[in-house]
Amino acid sequence: MAEKIQQLESLVIRSLRRFRDRYFPDKVVEADLTVGDSGKEEQQYGSLDTLPVDVQFLIMTFLSPADLCHLGATSRYWRAMVRDPLLWRYFLLRDMPYWPSIDHVTIPHPDLLDAPLISEDESLDDREEGNEGIKLKFDYMSEYLKGCPSSRQQWLPTRPAYEVVTSFFQSLVPSSEPRYAMFGPGMEQLDVSLVTRLMHAPDILPVSGTPYRQINGIGSGISYMFNNQHKFNILTLYSTNRAERERARVQQESISNKLFTFEGNDDSGDPVCVPAPQVQQVCQVVDGFIYVANAELERGGEKSEGVQIRAVLNCSRGSTSKPLLVLSCISREEPETVRTPSTRSMCRTPCVDMAKRLGLPHLPNPWMVQDTVAESLSGLLDGISWLLRCSGVKLY
């Protein structure tokens, strides 16, 4: 990936240079006219416009998406430069591994990631400046702004004033708390137990009790309080008993998963599995699912993960409407003294890669992948917030 990004960087600079030399040979834009001391209009040239293209590109790499859009609004020259498709494809490939979350709406188009680095219709110098009629196969700028977390936050709705009164009256009416089934190898393979940390983190998610609703072979789960206002219930589904899980974790061995029954392979060679009867019962009564994936590179990545997720979703009633939250989990983060963006990507599987590994883009259900750390529970609240919103809980 690093080699591909470096190659794309040189293509971007070359494309920007050819475009500027062709349509802006004087290397400046039409200057704004201001009135000087003599009363006549004088031209003011922007210093950024006269810099070499590779320096301009370097400056743009340090700007946020919002700042790039603001830069494009300053002049005709910069409007054309910041809309270069190759430039936004470079940003997309460079930044995607560091995005802490991705979902079914914001994930880039699958064909976009595997497309060749450059084609005839993706270079700025192959179109006239200001021509709005050209249709590119992929709008890399839109794909980036759609998936970038900082841009997504700006699209979240603000809370209207009348909602304050509405929420007060709604709080007086008892409502059923959403129930979610949590399963996955990240609950059992990591050195730090996510479930144990979850039960002993009152400052993050206080435990509100154990409801009196039993499911044969499973139990009733544990209820938590989100934002001191919204209750929800989590049913934990382990693949086997605690002693076998601990032995397998220490010896780093695979264990027999008692949640599913494997029934051979299909025509494509993929394994076929059916949830156990008690798991099927859980799938029919819960409002959604939490899959804890092992994002540590040296441990995760079993082929059967996506098969198990599809089996669980298929046996639930109204499966296409039940959300799936994937907690892409590692045991602990690197110390801040040695943590950099590059080391962060090396110690965990990026969200986009996790979504592809689990086959999530092919699911009809709404889904989200959220980076999570078991020790600190960082990222957990963002994932729970998304899950509750998908279940109809109004959060602002």
Side-chain angles (χ1 to χ4, degrees), residues 348-368:
R348 69 153 61 242
T349 302
C351 283
V352 175
D353 293 344
M354 180 64 72
K356 295 173 61 178
R357 187 178 94 185
L358 301 178
L360 301 184
H362 305 291
L363 296 178
N365 300 63
W367 58 265
M368 176 184 184

Side-chain angles (χ1 to χ4, degrees), residues 34-44:
T34 61
V35 179
D37 296 336
S38 60
K40 298 181 179 179
E41 292 182 338
E42 299 176 353
Q43 286 188 335
Q44 301 291 329

Side-chain angles (χ1 to χ4, degrees), residues 45-195:
Y45 293 95
S47 58
L48 282 178
D49 306 334
T50 58
L51 293 175
V53 171
D54 52 349
V55 177
Q56 293 178 346
F57 170 74
L58 181 62
I59 292 174
M60 286 189 286
T61 60
F62 287 97
L63 300 179
S64 67
D67 292 335
L68 277 173
C69 295
H70 293 158
L71 178 62
T74 59
S75 67
R76 185 166 61 94
Y77 172 76
W78 283 109
R79 177 177 179 271
M81 295 292 272
V82 301
R83 293 173 63 241
D84 182 6
L86 284 178
L87 176 68
W88 287 97
R89 186 175 184 188
Y90 166 81
F91 290 145
L92 192 63
L93 295 180
R94 182 197 66 177
D95 296 344
M96 267 195 315
Y98 310 118
W99 288 351
S101 65
I102 202 76
D103 58 38
H104 64 288
V105 176
T106 60
I107 189 169
H109 194 283
D111 296 339
L112 179 149
L113 305 178
D114 300 326
L117 281 183
I118 188 171
S119 61
E120 293 182 358
D121 61 347
E122 289 181 347
S123 179
L124 268 180
D125 64 311
D126 290 331
R127 65 178 176 87
E128 293 184 3
E129 191 279 323
N131 187 357
E132 303 291 347
I134 290 182
K135 299 294 185 182
L136 299 178
K137 185 176 181 180
F138 299 113
D139 187 347
Y140 295 103
M141 181 177 180
S142 296
E143 292 288 336
Y144 184 95
L145 296 177
K146 178 183 70 174
C148 179
S150 61
S151 301
R152 273 185 273 160
Q153 291 297 323
Q154 299 177 4
W155 298 346
L156 292 178
T158 57
R159 188 177 192 183
Y162 67 86
E163 286 288 351
V164 178
V165 180
T166 304
S167 297
F168 170 74
F169 287 112
Q170 288 178 344
S171 65
L172 302 179
V173 180
S175 60
S176 59
E177 60 186 70
R179 307 174 71 183
Y180 306 107
M182 184 165 68
F183 66 106
M187 291 168 46
E188 308 172 10
Q189 298 175 353
L190 299 179
D191 296 333
V192 180
S193 171
L194 176 68
V195 177

Side-chain angles (χ1 to χ4, degrees), residues 290-303:
I290 303 175
Y291 185 82
V292 186
N294 187 348
E296 295 181 350
L297 296 178
E298 69 274 9
R299 295 183 182 180
E302 296 182 5
K303 186 177 181 181

